Amino acid sequence: MDEGDIAGFFVAEKRGGFGLVWFILLFAAVGMVLISSLLLLDRRVPLSYVRVHVGMMLLPIAVALAGLIFANHHAVVGLWRSDMLGWFMALFILTLGWIIERFCLHYLHGDRAYRKYFTLLTFTVSAAALTWLGNDIRLLILFWGLPLLGLTQLTRLKKEWRPARMTAARMAAVFSLSWLALFVAGLWLWSATGHWRLSLALSSESIRHLEWWEKTGLNVLLVLAAIIPAGQWPFQRWLLESAVTPTPISAVMHAGLVNAGGLLLTRFSPLFNGDVSQMLLIVLASISVLIGTGISFVQVDYKRQLVASTMAQMGLMLIQCALGAYVAAVIHLVLHGLFKATLFLQSGSVVPHPNQTIRLSQRLSKTWRFAGAVGGLIVGVTFLLMSPEENAKWLSALILGWSLAFAWERLAAFENGRMTSLLVLAGAAFASGAVHGGLMMLLHKTVPPNSSISVATEATAVLMLAAGGLASIWLSTHRSSHVFARLYMWLVHMGEPRLKSMESHPRYLADYLQKEVVNG
């Protein structure tokens, strides 16, 4: 431990004396809910206590909210750092965890592992929330692995079902690789700088003494650690197979844990300064966006559509990180987490009700298509003019314009309620812009942008995504072509799990019934 660590272990810096109180309160609240979750494993504790435990989850949420508002956001307290990003992510993750555990009260009721689900969920969410408040490389390595371990164990709870066992084994293998990459990067950074404290190891003076090959090697390891939990190509298979997990576990996974790669790169942002690792990240993430989008279009299973969508969205988030737009990446992962958690928890609503029909227009007029294209172009150009200083402005303009044009065409395809749908789209766009602006003001001082990104780096991402989009338009108008057929089948194959991870029906349920009959 270096002198800075020893001096700061028990005594906060002068500016952070009051910040120690908020850390003590947060650790106390998290400790209480963890102890409460362990009590659930005791069969003598009545099952009704689960509701009490879920109610206790509000304690750390309240402390995180108070820390976000009142704590000193420029303080270091021992091995921990009080800043806006850390408190905000703790509040976001804990709140999502509470919402999902509330959902589990009824959804998982009657499951044989009912109590274990709440224990592991509490452990996973608590570890993920504390990860980004750490200011020590060793703490970061530890807390990086704990949520991944918790997620693997949550998947293994259905160990009687072979697909769940196989998926958990694959997750354990790739997550171990991610943790090992961060472990090696952490040791390397400490060896090169002599500091365990993250703020000192990433200071401009420490980075100045690093050779170019050291920074490149560290960045490649960090990119590897980040893309695996995000389900990026070529490590996307575990994410696509994770559809076997119960819906609330999928919500936790897609709303909070797959986003961690963007936060990891944000914490290590001072290391990234336009080297080859950023180009590598852009290429891998762009490929992931195109593949994930394609799989989401050809899959008929709703959960697999959402999983493929997450793969694409995480690719966009990592491209933003590669272009130095870290605040935009954080906002992206927060909004994506809220949206994707809602989609998973409301996935039952996609099942059509009796006598419910949705009428789609067989032929969409050229006027509507043209209006959508013009509207997307106007939004993209407006963003470019209003955001001249923003990192990755060309990429953001492309995404905004294309998304609006695509959403316009999809909503306009409904014969009933077309105008209402378009008004809802306009309102959602306005609300999203307002939230984006508010979060930008909240976080812009905590996460400074990287201004060393070259024009060629951003152009690579824009051209790859634009080429993929134009190719998809051409293919959609040539569906009888040989190229379309081969691409379609390839995407279907990419989105399907391995044979070992599939069963025609959950056979373990039949085994349960047979055992019940025998015991009866």
Side-chain angles (χ1 to χ4, degrees):
M1 182 177 292
D2 54 63
E3 295 181 1
D5 292 334
I6 297 174
F9 191 85
F10 296 105
V11 182
E13 292 183 358
K14 292 182 179 180
R15 293 180 297 173
F18 189 60
L20 179 62
V21 176
W22 296 109
F23 280 109
I24 293 174
L25 291 175
L26 181 63
F27 296 152
V30 170
M32 289 175 62
V33 297
L34 288 175
I35 294 173
S36 174
S37 69
L38 293 176
L39 292 177
L40 290 173
L41 299 177
D42 190 344
R43 294 291 177 178
R44 294 171 295 181
V45 176
L47 204 59
S48 58
Y49 180 74
V50 175
R51 292 185 174 274
V52 177
H53 168 73
V54 174
M56 289 180 63
M57 288 287 293
L58 292 173
L59 291 176
I61 294 175
V63 176
L65 177 60
L68 180 65
I69 298 173
F70 300 111
N72 187 335
H73 297 141
H74 303 280
V76 174
V77 182
L79 302 179
W80 304 88
R81 172 169 55 183
S82 175
D83 65 2
M84 189 70 74
L85 178 62
W87 285 110
F88 178 72
M89 292 311 305
L91 175 63
F92 170 70
I93 295 170
L94 289 169
T95 303
L96 269 183
W98 175 75
I99 292 172
I100 292 170
E101 289 200 25
R102 285 275 301 172
F103 182 85
C104 290
L105 288 173
H106 297 289
Y107 187 90
L108 294 176
H109 194 270
D111 194 289
R112 289 175 178 246
Y114 186 67
R115 295 170 181 263
K116 293 181 181 179
Y117 273 115
F118 287 94
T119 301
L120 285 173
L121 273 172
T122 303
F123 166 81
T124 304
V125 169
S126 300
L130 294 177
T131 301
W132 312 111
L133 286 167
N135 188 41
D136 189 273
I137 296 175
R138 294 160 296 188
L139 270 182
L140 182 59
I141 294 172
L142 173 65
F143 279 96
W144 180 258
L146 290 178
L148 300 179
L149 174 64
L151 184 58
T152 304
Q153 294 304 313
L154 282 166
T155 306
R156 283 181 56 85
L157 284 181
K158 292 284 186 190
K159 59 184 179 182
E160 302 88 352
W161 192 24
R162 188 183 67 177
R165 294 197 308 270
M166 299 302 298
T167 300
R170 178 179 283 270
M171 290 168 63
V174 295
F175 288 169
S176 297
L177 179 60
S178 173
W179 183 86
L180 181 62
L182 183 60
F183 177 77
V184 174
L187 285 183
W188 191 349
L189 185 60
W190 165 74
S191 176
T193 64
H195 297 295
W196 283 116
R197 188 182 292 190
L198 200 58
S199 56
L200 296 179
L202 296 178
S203 65
S204 57
E205 182 177 353
S206 296
I207 294 177
R208 192 180 304 118
H209 291 88
L210 294 176
E211 299 290 341
W212 69 267
W213 59 268
E214 290 181 302
K215 288 190 289 186
T216 301
L218 286 168
N219 290 340
V220 170
L221 288 171
L222 292 172
V223 167
L224 178 61
I227 65 174
I228 291 176
Q232 300 296 281
W233 184 84
F235 303 100
Q236 79 283 355
R237 181 60 64 182
W238 79 264
L239 185 63
L240 296 173
E241 293 183 354
S242 67
V244 301
T245 58
T247 297
I249 310 306
S250 297
V252 170
M253 183 190 309
H254 291 261
L257 299 184
V258 298
N259 301 333
L263 293 171
L264 180 70
L265 297 180
T266 299
R267 279 304 193 202
F268 284 92
S269 59
L271 275 176
F272 290 87
N273 59 354
D275 60 18
V276 68
S277 61
Q278 287 174 285
M279 186 63 72
L280 173 65
L281 180 58
I282 283 179
V283 171
L284 295 179
S286 298
I287 293 174
S288 301
V289 170
L290 299 176
I291 293 177
T293 303
I295 293 175
S296 67
F297 283 157
V298 302
Q299 271 291 332
V300 295
D301 182 270
Y302 182 67
K303 285 188 71 174
R304 295 194 189 281
Q305 290 177 8
L306 295 181
V307 169
S309 170
T310 295
M311 177 183 173
Q313 290 297 320
M314 291 303 95
L316 289 175
M317 178 197 67
L318 292 176
I319 291 174
Q320 290 172 319
C321 290
L323 297 179
Y326 296 106
V327 176
V330 172
I331 295 172
H332 187 160
L333 70 88
V334 169
L335 296 180
H336 171 266
L338 293 172
F339 181 61
K340 195 54 65 74
T342 302
L343 289 180
F344 271 106
L345 297 184
Q346 295 295 321
S347 57
S349 63
V350 302
V351 179
H353 297 287
N355 302 322
Q356 179 185 10
T357 59
I358 299 176
R359 299 180 61 188
L360 298 178
S361 177
Q362 297 298 320
R363 298 183 64 182
L364 192 63
S365 67
K366 294 182 179 180
T367 304
W368 280 101
R369 293 181 185 274
F370 181 74
V374 171
L377 180 62
I378 292 174
V379 169
V381 173
T382 302
F383 180 85
L384 282 176
L385 296 177
M386 295 181 63
S387 309
E389 304 297 329
E390 182 170 334
N391 284 46
K393 57 181 180 294
W394 286 96
L395 176 67
S396 299
L398 174 66
I399 295 173
L400 285 173
W402 204 296
S403 299
L404 177 62
F406 180 80
W408 179 282
E409 182 175 340
R410 292 289 132 182
L411 291 177
F414 290 92
E415 286 190 357
N416 300 325
R418 178 182 293 179
M419 292 305 301
T420 302
S421 299
L422 295 178
L423 289 175
V424 170
L425 173 63
F430 177 79
S432 176
V435 173
H436 184 278
L439 292 177
M440 186 71 73
M441 293 178 60
L442 182 70
L443 299 173
H444 78 283
K445 292 183 179 180
T446 303
V447 187
N450 190 332
S451 58
S452 60
I453 305 300
S454 65
V455 176
T457 304
E458 184 174 1
T460 301
V462 172
L463 290 176
M464 287 187 68
L465 296 182
L470 294 175
S472 67
I473 294 176
W474 184 88
L475 289 169
S476 65
T477 58
H478 296 77
R479 298 190 178 187
S480 59
S481 65
H482 181 68
V483 175
F484 178 86
R486 291 184 63 86
L487 179 61
Y488 182 91
M489 295 307 300
W490 181 75
L491 289 172
V492 170
H493 175 72
M494 286 287 291
E496 292 296 323
R498 298 168 298 165
L499 291 177
K500 294 181 179 180
S501 301
M502 290 191 295
E503 282 185 355
S504 57
H505 63 279
R507 295 175 183 171
Y508 75 96
L509 294 178
D511 295 337
Y512 281 162
L513 292 176
Q514 290 179 357
K515 291 179 182 179
E516 292 294 336
V517 172
V518 172
N519 294 334

